[in-house]
Amino acid sequence: MFEATNITKHYKQKYVLDNVSLTLTDGEIVGLVGKNGAGKSTLLHILATLLQPDSGVVSLDGQTTKATLRKHIGFVPQQLALWDDLSVKENMQFFERLSWQQHDTAQLRSICESMALTAWEEPVHTLSGGMKRKLNLAIALIQKPRLLLLDEPTVGIDLKSKLDIAEALKMLAAKGTMILYISHDLDELRNVCHRIISLGDDDFYYTLLQGTTTITKL
Ligand SMILES: Nc1ncnc2c1ncn2[C@@H]1O[C@H](COP(=O)(O)OP(=O)(O)OP(=O)(O)O)[C@@H](O)[C@H]1O
Ligand SMILES: [Mg+2]
């Protein structure tokens, strides 16, 4: 189980997160919605322990130390973080060496294939946007995370790739991985998520989604 309790964060005078709490149980896929600037990425960075909150606690199965959390949390940022001149294979091998898990080349390749990413020897700069997104996600899976935090992983990609990613996420969740997922695509959220959380004081998404899925306000 993953828990964030009473998370507060402000930048200068502005409170972005005011006493935010959430819980994820094993195998749950939870969507996170909210208007631009609502604080979604800020919250994800705090949950990934990449940003220090003003107050509040993050815990995974009762563990709160940063090193333990980092070991078990996979984070896919809004911006792509790939080596453009290296091939898919070389990127996977590079990040495998940085991770605490060990995979041989065949295992790394099968992670990519589970995402319907079939390019392997091609340099990253020759890939389409959707393929790069899939690679970004595949890299996060190398460390077999207990919790996967995704910041708009399907922005600007075609429907087929979105569905590929949706299927891959559902398979991971079926094996117990917890997934917290920021997206502005409501069809996709309804398809992928077990429930949705709306962040911020704007009720737009809440009103829109109410009655069509389980949605709660933070
Ligand atoms: N490093 C920073 N310094 C100052 N203000 C910041 C910083 N990072 C974010 N903010 C502000 O905090 C608020 C929340 O930003 P955040 O990026 O978390 O929003 P978001 O919900 O992810 O938005 P989007 O949908 O546009 O990605 C915004 O008003 C933003 O300007
Ligand atoms: Mg954001």
Side-chain angles (χ1 to χ4, degrees):
M1 187 169 88
F2 177 78
E3 265 185 301
T5 317
N6 305 124
I7 304 288
T8 299
K9 178 75 187 173
H10 77 284
Y11 294 113
K12 301 220 173 82
Q13 259 75 328
K14 189 177 173 219
Y15 270 84
V16 178
L17 301 171
D18 189 12
N19 225 18
V20 167
S21 298
L22 62 89
T23 302
L24 271 84
T25 56
D26 288 5
E28 225 184 356
I29 310 182
V30 177
L32 183 59
V33 295
K35 66 176 182 190
N36 292 134
K40 303 179 298 298
S41 295
T42 300
L43 178 60
L44 238 60
H45 279 82
I46 290 170
L47 302 185
T49 77
L50 300 171
L51 183 67
Q52 184 74 25
D54 301 335
S55 60
V57 180
V58 174
S59 77
L60 181 65
D61 300 330
Q63 303 272 344
T64 55
T65 52
K66 211 182 249 189
T68 310
L69 291 169
R70 286 206 180 163
K71 206 166 162 181
H72 296 289
I73 297 176
F75 175 60
V76 180
Q78 212 165 346
Q79 287 83 21
L80 294 165
L82 304 168
W83 294 99
D84 257 2
D85 293 331
L86 300 184
S87 66
V88 171
K89 175 183 171 184
E90 289 161 340
N91 267 274
M92 290 297 282
Q93 288 173 332
F94 174 85
F95 287 103
E96 189 263 350
R97 266 173 246 130
L98 292 184
S99 89
W100 62 287
Q101 294 278 355
Q102 289 199 331
H103 299 273
D104 60 28
T105 307
Q107 287 168 322
L108 291 175
R109 191 166 189 166
S110 84
I111 294 174
C112 290
E113 283 168 357
S114 76
M115 201 105 329
L117 174 60
T118 48
W120 185 242
E121 303 282 358
E122 287 90 324
V124 163
H125 66 84
T126 67
L127 302 183
S128 69
M131 290 197 272
K132 286 183 192 170
R133 290 258 157 224
K134 288 178 182 175
L135 177 56
N136 220 29
L137 196 49
I139 286 168
L141 298 184
I142 291 173
Q143 60 156 334
K144 298 187 182 160
R146 290 263 296 116
L147 169 68
L148 195 53
L149 300 171
L150 308 173
D151 199 341
E152 305 192 31
T154 57
V155 159
I157 69 171
D158 70 28
L159 183 59
K160 171 69 169 66
S161 291
K162 279 189 185 183
L163 293 174
D164 291 339
I165 289 176
E167 284 318 303
L169 296 181
K170 287 179 189 174
M171 297 257 287
L172 285 167
K175 290 183 200 150
T177 309
M178 296 172 269
I179 299 172
L180 183 63
Y181 185 174
I182 299 175
S183 172
H184 294 286
D185 184 326
L186 300 186
D187 288 334
E188 182 180 305
L189 288 167
R190 280 197 205 94
N191 170 26
V192 178
C193 301
H194 299 118
R195 61 187 172 91
I196 296 175
I197 292 171
S198 162
L199 183 63
D201 43 18
D202 188 291
D203 280 347
F204 176 76
Y205 286 99
Y206 186 78
T207 310
L208 203 63
L209 285 162
Q210 221 179 6
T212 66
T213 182
T214 311
I215 181 155
T216 47
K217 284 194 225 182
L218 269 192

